[in-house]
Amino acid sequence: MPELVLESNGRTWTLDPSRTYALGRDPQGDIVFDDARVSWRHATVSHNGRSWVIDDHGSTNGTFVQGQRIQQTEIGPGSAVHLGNATDGPRVSLSGTAAAVVTPQAQPQQPVAQGAGPGLPQAPQAGWQQPQGTPSIPQQQGLGGGQPGVGAGAPPVYGDRSPTTFHHFSLGRVMRIGRALENDLVVSDLQVSRHHAEFHSTPDGRFEIRDLGSHNGTYVNGHPVPKGGAAQLGPTDIVGVGHSTFRIVGDRLEEFVDTGEVSFSARHLTVTVDGGKQILKDVSFGVPEKSLIAVIGPSGSGKSTLLKALTGYRPADQGEVLYDNRNLYKQFAELRQRIGLVPQDDILHKELTVKKALKYAAKLRFPADTTGAEREARIDEVLRELKLDIHKEKKVTSLSGGQRKRVSVALELLTKPSLIFLDEPTSGLDPGMDRDVMQLLRGLADDGRTVLVVTHSVAELAICDKLLVMAPGGSVAYFGPPEEALNFFGYETWADVFSAFENYRDYDWAGRWKGSQHYQMYAADIDAVAPQSVQLPPMQAMKPPKPQGWMSQFGTLVRRYATVIASDKGFLALTVILPLVLGAVSLLIDSGKGLLPNPMINRATGQPVPNGTATTVLLILAVGACFAGAANSVRELIKERVIYERERATGLSRSAYLMSKVFVLGVVTILQGLMVGVIGFASREIPDKGLVLGHLTLIELSVPIMALGFTSMMFGLIISSLVKTAEKTMPLLVMFAIIQVVFTGCLFTLNGSIGANQISYLMPSRWAVAAAGATLDFNKIAPPGKGKPDDPLWAHTVGAWSMDMLALVVLGVVCGIFVARFLRRHEPEVMRK
């Protein structure tokens, strides 16, 4: 059957008569057009056994051949088709296969012996073709034999695959890549900026790639090109842009599009913790493209450690993870965009609706030049694919467990990952939802993705392509088809297998596996490669570019957090009621008495009589501000830890995330402090004139209470960043509040108390009470006693007040620095300095 060459907007496709090609705006189509006049699924091109035919699929603006709108017509070399408009719509030119249009062919694949499992090399047989779905045997040199311009040792791009398409690239030419239609190479990928990068060919025969300030970065051999910078290209260098990879071969530019059909393998992964204990031991397995793999095993078998090693969150100490023959650890900055991870806990803000949760995720993950319409289209597409469009206006918290897991998957599918990992997605679900989730994963794999799921459930293993069973201690006990696993172990149920693991923990399960015929069939070829130590490149090269600028991320995070708070009616009510109650409590103390120095003199000592009301009221207000501020933030980071970990891996700025929390919570806390201060001071007699704000004494007294609430909120963030579970925050919150009571200086004299006074300098309540005390002249209101010096922090001077307030600010800043450092512990290890 004759091949047909299709050309549009500088790109060329050689069509295979044995399949049908979809044309339209659908990014998952075969030939994609970024033009509003083209329908989502506009038309198809296929061979009917006699000739090539184009079928219009009810497009809105029509398909035109020779100026006439058609429904179906025969086409061939020399034909021209317009989509959406008869004159200036996107043009598709057709020609026959010519000598100048040569698609490089891969080496003949080696056959798989019947019953021997995939990957066992046998002698090539004449006329043999590799069965569909069978993984090819990785080549150790180049991209495969017979390709012009590829020398031995060239890094593999996509195994032995031929280029998706190619473009002629003459000397002295500049070829621009991007999402916009005016580019020489139009890449319909929302991970790509509108004007992303340029290939330059100089008259002296040299080539280079120049980044045009792209948001998700341009990569050479997996390492980012400096934003706005350039890199020289050699004959074996691979350029990565979004889901596309390019290589210059002779006078043409070959393009490989990652459509999801990728292989994945782990080789000799070993993880050693402090003390030399191995928690993952020499784990090797290979995953064919478009497959569903389940990982099961008893507690302590290293499933979570394996998942972290496979995703780069915690790279293995020895061994390598290969994404289509590319080292994930060394090229993490680029390949992270191709990998989706759904943790056990939902990576969602449950107070938001499904549509809003995906909207904010898309805003953070897609380039800044992506339009709202483009993001909306991708969100709607994912919702339809996962059958969530009928739930898009529902709050996440109102969905069932299975539906929430679908939303978490939808969030990861926004960026079209080729490889998706899921950690215990069926945990806590009933058998019916368990089956629904596993069938969802089966569908994701069938649609062209590789899916690996760690699970405790064994009810739906039969729908998986491969099963990896981990033994206690972190070694492989079995890898192969799930239907053969029980027979391999010699038990009738998985309960028996897991009992055997528990009862015979010292048994060499890995040795039994490696001595079996199943090992020879399904893992020997992967295991034969010698292990390597992981040597990561310099850290500045590993730091992934950020899809959005800092201010853009900060703005999006602030809006999302404000929306989350506004959606939580209970939190809003508590935010208002708490300061009202705390302020009102202070009114019960000696109601009506003022906060001025007592004019009465103690005849026995000759000293002024202390005004106990002033110190008690200030103590109550200070403790209330401490408690309210810390309570606002003490759970914020721990409850979003899983969300932060995932978003950080996709390019979220740590400082933008932290500052969004500080800004929103700071506004809330400062307003609460103002309410507490005004209620506590307004009804009492206070000085007519303050130290700093003149006659605005009420505001001057309230400012330290507001600042105390803010600084206490920062201490709450430290607690939230340190704890491992949300349950531990409440005891620490109570302990923090009690400590602040002791070190206010209202219960006993701190000045002159060796040790206690020095410790009090670390307490925000000490400085806040001192600032208010400076305004009220506490050295006269609560004199230290005969023979004791006045407290310098309470001095009735502008300098003392300013120093007290500055100390509060410094404590808040120091807390912020500590929180930022503690947040680093919850980021992928491969990204840390």
Side-chain angles (χ1 to χ4, degrees), residues 292 434-442 453 460 463-464:
L292 174 60
D434 181 353
R435 180 179 58 192
D436 290 343
V437 171
M438 292 301 291
Q439 288 178 343
L440 165 67
L441 304 184
R442 177 72 265 172
V453 53
E460 303 296 330
I463 69 173
C464 300

Side-chain angles (χ1 to χ4, degrees), residues 746-763:
C746 296
L747 296 181
F748 61 92
T749 301
L750 286 170
N751 186 41
S753 300
I754 303 301
N757 192 38
Q758 285 70 34
I759 293 175
S760 73
Y761 294 156
L762 301 175
M763 306 300 163

Side-chain angles (χ1 to χ4, degrees), residues 121-181:
Q122 304 289 335
Q125 300 173 1
W128 179 88
Q129 292 185 349
Q130 179 177 334
Q132 186 175 2
T134 304
S136 60
I137 301 170
Q139 302 294 322
Q140 299 304 312
Q141 293 184 339
L143 189 66
Q147 296 191 21
V150 183
V157 184
Y158 285 118
D160 296 320
R161 296 182 181 85
S162 299
T164 307
T165 185
F166 54 85
H167 317 272
H168 293 288
F169 193 28
S170 57
L171 293 178
R173 185 179 175 187
V174 176
M175 189 173 289
R176 177 176 289 186
I177 305 173
R179 212 172 66 248
L181 292 175

Side-chain angles (χ1 to χ4, degrees), residues 371-617:
T371 65
E374 288 174 316
R375 293 193 298 269
E376 288 279 336
R378 180 58 188 156
I379 291 170
D380 291 340
E381 180 185 356
V382 170
L383 290 174
R384 286 194 301 270
E385 180 180 358
L386 298 183
K387 298 180 176 60
L388 286 169
D389 45 341
I390 60 175
H391 303 295
K392 64 182 180 181
E393 300 303 330
K394 295 180 181 177
K395 285 189 175 183
V396 175
T397 187
S398 68
L399 302 178
S400 67
Q403 291 168 342
R404 284 201 302 272
K405 194 59 63 177
R406 281 178 177 266
V407 179
S408 292
V409 173
L411 192 150
E412 290 301 310
L413 290 185
L414 287 174
T415 53
K416 295 186 178 180
S418 302
L419 184 63
I420 302 177
F421 292 94
L422 300 100
D423 187 11
E424 302 285 359
T426 61
S427 178
L429 302 183
D430 61 47
M433 290 184 180
D434 181 353
R435 180 179 58 192
D436 290 343
V437 171
M438 292 301 291
Q439 288 178 343
L440 165 67
L441 304 184
R442 177 72 265 172
L444 294 177
D446 293 338
D447 287 342
R449 307 173 183 93
T450 299
V451 183
L452 187 146
V453 53
V454 174
T455 180
H456 277 299
S457 175
V458 297
E460 303 296 330
L461 295 180
I463 69 173
C464 300
D465 298 298
K466 291 290 189 296
L467 174 65
L468 175 66
V469 182
M470 299 294 292
S475 58
V476 177
Y478 173 82
F479 178 73
E483 62 271 15
E484 299 177 16
L486 286 176
N487 183 57
F488 170 82
F489 287 107
Y491 292 99
E492 295 183 357
T493 68
W494 283 108
D496 295 331
V497 175
F498 278 46
S499 294
F501 283 147
E502 180 64 28
N503 296 332
Y504 305 101
R505 298 187 70 89
D506 295 331
Y507 182 75
D508 186 8
W509 295 100
R512 179 179 185 271
W513 156 244
K514 290 188 175 182
S516 68
Q517 183 181 3
H518 282 77
Y519 171 79
Q520 297 298 325
M521 294 166 63
Y522 301 120
D525 57 333
I526 295 292
D527 219 16
V529 182
Q532 302 178 22
S533 296
V534 178
Q535 295 180 351
L536 298 179
M539 208 57 227
Q540 60 269 24
M542 292 297 298
K543 193 174 183 180
K546 298 176 177 60
Q548 304 277 336
W550 192 94
M551 283 303 299
S552 178
Q553 286 195 7
F554 173 74
T556 301
L557 292 166
V558 166
R559 289 193 296 273
R560 182 177 70 179
Y561 191 28
T563 304
V564 169
I565 290 178
S567 301
D568 190 343
K569 306 302 181 185
F571 180 82
L572 281 178
L574 186 61
T575 299
V576 176
I577 293 173
L578 184 61
L580 292 177
V581 172
L582 293 174
V585 166
S586 68
L587 299 179
L588 301 178
I589 301 168
D590 292 334
S591 178
K593 288 191 176 182
L595 306 181
L596 301 174
N598 197 329
M600 298 178 60
I601 301 295
N602 187 321
R603 294 181 180 179
T605 63
Q607 296 293 320
V609 176
N611 182 352
T613 300
T615 54
T616 305
V617 168

Side-chain angles (χ1 to χ4, degrees), residues 640-656:
E640 289 188 3
R641 182 161 296 170
V642 177
I643 298 175
Y644 173 74
E645 288 176 354
R646 183 65 194 121
E647 290 184 342
R648 179 67 176 141
T650 61
L652 178 69
S653 166
R654 183 196 313 138
S655 59

